């Protein structure tokens, strides 16, 4: 589930970039609208899946009200904690997508840099949740930062060549996504929650946040008028959102935050392959070195894990 989650998450640029870079300018969607529609449709579909899942657990005649209460009922503490982690999850979506478009960072490089979140998760688990710092983990953190240095287009004695704003956007996603993964498994009020219910509320709250964002900024809800737009939005909502987040939640509940984050190695690989094959992106020597360093850093974290 962790590998499936990361592989599908890496497909975000495949569906989001065409929506915001349409040849016909009148058919382009801005970042806020893409994120809003992405979470609107994924939340609606996840709501149906959650209701059906809880309905199948019951015995006897179907009691719609009882099933609805079990499927969607929340305690006050759960409500606010889910809203909190949804802020982190939604922020990851908007900053990562913005790094592709506004920041003008190639999608493969941006997603590979985003993949440093396992190192962030490991560091937090060591500092605040009692995991031990080993030589392998310390070395992996150093190699990860070295990887970011090269991925940014720098070389020894050179200057950064990537858009600094785009680089900042990607670095923010490391914090937000890592915090989301840690919160799912370590906030007691929601750690044992049904995975379908948790996923539904994260998607629904994220949709609500993007809706408020559009209203506060005085923007408009752009209509979906073409097959191209509908296809990309629905694919974006289903594959790298609903599937990715549902499998992520279950993986975290089964094997924990750190290991789930580390097993996200398919994410940058998928994004790089999409960038090269679909968008014609090229990787220079520095970026290649950076990718190798990031993968080596993650591999060191993997082999340092203790078997239970």
């Amino acid at each position: 589930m962790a590998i499936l989650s990361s592989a599908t998450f890496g497909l975000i640029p495949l569906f989001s970039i065409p929506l915001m870079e349409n040849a016909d300018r009148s058919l382009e969607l801005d970042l806020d609208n893409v994120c809003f529609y992405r979470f609107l449709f994924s939340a609606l579909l996840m709501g149906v899946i959650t209701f059906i899942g809880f309905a199948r657990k019951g015995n006897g005649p179907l009691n719609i009200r009882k099933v609805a209460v079990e499927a969607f009922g929340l305690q006050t503490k759960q409500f606010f904690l889910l809203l909190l982690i949804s802020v982190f999850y939604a922020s990851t979506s908007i900053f990562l997508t913005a790094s592709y478009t506004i920041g003008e960072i190639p999608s493969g490089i941006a997603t590979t840099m985003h993949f440093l979140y396992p190192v962030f998760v490991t560091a937090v688990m060591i500092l605040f949740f009692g995991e031990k710092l080993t030589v392998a983990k310390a070395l992996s953190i150093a190699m990860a930062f070295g990887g970011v240095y090269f991925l940014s287009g720098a070389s020894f004695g050179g200057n950064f060549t990537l858009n600094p704003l785009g680089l900042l956007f990607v670095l923010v996603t490391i914090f937000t996504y890592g915090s989301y993964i840690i919160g799912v498994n370590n906030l007691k009020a929601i750690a044992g929650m049904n995975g379908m219910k948790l996923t539904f509320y994260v998607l629904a709250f994220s949709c609500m946040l993007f809706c408020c964002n559009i209203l506060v900024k005085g923007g408009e809800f752009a209509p979906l008028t073409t097959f191209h737009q509908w296809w990309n939005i629905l694919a974006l909502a289903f594959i790298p959102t609903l599937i990715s987040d549902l499998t992520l939640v279950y993986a975290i509940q089964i094997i924990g935050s750190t290991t789930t984050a580390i097993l996200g190695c398919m994410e940058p690989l998928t994004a790089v392959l999409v960038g090269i094959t679909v968008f014609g992106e090229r990787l220079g020597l520095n970026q290649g070195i950076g990718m190798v360093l990031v993968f080596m850093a993650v591999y060191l974290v993997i082999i340092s894990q203790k078997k239970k």
Side-chain angles (χ1 to χ4, degrees), residues 70-117:
E70 291 178 353
F72 304 111
L74 288 177
Q75 300 173 1
T76 302
K77 187 174 183 180
Q78 290 176 325
F79 175 88
F80 286 106
L81 288 177
L82 285 171
L83 181 59
L84 175 63
I85 66 171
S86 298
V87 171
F88 287 115
Y89 186 77
S91 298
T92 301
S93 173
I94 196 166
F95 279 108
L96 187 57
T97 309
S99 71
Y100 306 147
T101 53
I102 300 174
E104 299 179 342
I105 293 183
S107 59
I109 295 178
T111 309
T112 302
M113 294 173 66
H114 165 70
F115 183 57
L116 285 174
Y117 70 81

Side-chain angles (χ1 to χ4, degrees), residues 18-305:
L19 286 167
M20 293 182 286
E21 295 184 352
N22 198 293
D24 183 351
R25 291 281 180 180
S26 64
L27 297 177
E28 287 183 2
L29 295 179
D30 61 24
L31 177 58
D32 292 334
N33 273 279
V34 168
C35 291
F36 168 70
Y37 282 123
R38 173 189 176 189
F39 289 107
L40 172 64
F41 290 119
S42 61
L44 290 174
L45 183 56
M46 193 67 237
V48 174
I49 293 173
T50 302
F51 183 85
I52 294 174
F54 275 83
R56 293 179 62 184
K57 292 181 179 180
N59 298 317
L62 176 63
N63 186 325
I64 295 179
R65 178 176 294 182
K66 181 179 179 181
V67 173
V69 170
E70 291 178 353
F72 304 111
L74 288 177
Q75 300 173 1
T76 302
K77 187 174 183 180
Q78 290 176 325
F79 175 88
F80 286 106
L81 288 177
L82 285 171
L83 181 59
L84 175 63
I85 66 171
S86 298
V87 171
F88 287 115
Y89 186 77
S91 298
T92 301
S93 173
I94 196 166
F95 279 108
L96 187 57
T97 309
S99 71
Y100 306 147
T101 53
I102 300 174
E104 299 179 342
I105 293 183
S107 59
I109 295 178
T111 309
T112 302
M113 294 173 66
H114 165 70
F115 183 57
L116 285 174
Y117 70 81
V119 179
F120 172 78
V121 171
T122 301
V124 172
M125 295 302 291
I126 289 172
L127 294 173
F128 301 103
F129 295 95
E131 285 195 12
K132 293 183 179 180
L133 176 62
T134 64
V135 174
K137 288 180 181 178
L139 183 58
S140 71
I141 293 173
M143 294 178 68
F145 279 109
V148 171
Y149 177 78
F150 282 102
L151 279 171
S152 65
S155 59
F156 292 109
N159 297 317
F160 290 109
T161 58
L162 291 185
N163 187 321
L165 183 61
L167 182 61
L168 176 62
F169 287 161
V170 179
L171 295 179
V172 169
T173 69
I174 297 171
F175 167 75
T176 56
Y177 197 60
S179 299
Y180 169 72
I181 289 179
I182 293 168
V184 168
N185 197 46
N186 294 279
L187 296 174
K188 293 182 180 179
I190 61 175
M193 182 181 294
N194 178 276
M196 292 184 295
K197 179 191 288 191
L198 193 156
T199 303
F200 165 74
Y201 274 107
V202 168
L203 298 177
F205 284 150
S206 296
C207 174
M208 180 187 71
L209 291 169
F210 283 114
C211 178
C212 293
N213 181 46
I214 293 175
L215 293 175
V216 169
K217 294 167 88 172
E220 297 181 352
F221 294 93
L224 302 176
T225 58
T226 67
F227 174 80
H228 165 84
Q229 290 177 328
W230 277 101
W231 159 251
N232 282 289
I233 279 292
L234 292 177
L236 182 65
F238 182 67
I239 301 174
T241 307
L242 189 152
I243 292 178
S244 178
D245 200 52
L246 183 60
T247 52
L248 177 73
V249 168
Y250 277 120
I252 292 171
Q253 292 178 341
I254 296 169
I255 60 177
S257 301
T258 304
T259 309
T260 298
I262 291 166
L263 290 176
C265 56
M266 287 298 294
E267 180 184 321
L269 179 59
T270 304
V272 168
L273 291 176
V274 169
I276 294 174
T277 58
V278 179
F279 300 117
E281 296 174 358
R282 295 183 179 182
L283 297 179
L285 177 61
N286 290 338
Q287 286 74 28
I289 294 173
M291 288 180 61
V292 171
L293 287 173
V294 169
F295 280 117
M296 289 179 64
V298 174
Y299 177 73
L300 281 177
V301 178
I302 292 175
I303 64 175
S304 69
Q305 299 299 302

